[in-house]
Amino acid sequence: MQELQVTVDENRFEQEVIYYLEKMDITEEKVRLTKHLEYFLETLNGKEANGRKLGFISQEMGREINTMGSKSNHAEMQKLVVRMKDELEKIKEQVLNVL
């Protein structure tokens, strides 16, 4: 039996691993979603009626949730993304009532 000889460019391999790890990292999206949620609650608890602003904030929340879903390869995370989307749709319906 003949052995297969493979040479690996260590630098290239490291670059590829880092690229894919960064592509799957959702830390940035989680931080932004948290900030959007805080801003949403702050706006909701404000004295002015800001239905439009709440609508815009919920759009941004949806973008972050969608990005998390597209980056995730984990089944449980996909389930959480679906639940978040469902809850966000309920929020959007309620915001329409404020407009």
Side-chain angles (χ1 to χ4, degrees):
M1 190 165 174
Q2 204 173 28
E3 286 188 36
L4 180 63
Q5 300 243 338
V6 178
T7 56
V8 176
D9 179 346
E10 295 291 328
N11 288 332
R12 177 66 183 190
F13 179 73
E14 185 178 306
Q15 288 173 347
E16 292 292 325
V17 168
I18 290 170
Y19 170 78
Y20 285 105
L21 287 175
E22 286 177 348
K23 191 174 176 182
M24 295 184 332
D25 183 19
I26 62 168
T27 303
E28 224 175 285
E29 288 77 14
K30 286 172 37 179
V31 168
R32 282 196 301 260
L33 180 58
T34 300
K35 292 296 178 187
H36 294 321
L37 290 167
E38 290 170 359
Y39 188 42
F40 186 91
L41 291 174
E42 179 184 311
T43 303
L44 188 63
N45 293 324
K47 295 187 187 246
E48 299 175 26
N50 282 314
R52 275 209 172 114
K53 187 187 282 188
L54 293 172
F56 292 136
I57 298 167
S58 62
Q59 271 186 320
E60 292 301 317
M61 291 171 10
R63 286 189 183 95
E64 301 305 335
I65 293 169
N66 286 333
T67 304
M68 284 189 257
S70 67
K71 285 185 170 186
S72 176
N73 292 323
H74 190 268
E76 289 303 311
M77 182 62 186
Q78 289 293 336
K79 288 179 186 176
L80 287 173
V81 167
V82 169
R83 285 178 43 205
M84 285 190 289
K85 285 182 174 186
D86 183 48
E87 293 301 318
L88 184 59
E89 285 305 311
K90 292 176 188 175
I91 289 170
K92 286 180 177 181
E93 287 174 19
Q94 293 299 314
V95 167
L96 287 175
N97 291 333
V98 175
L99 292 174

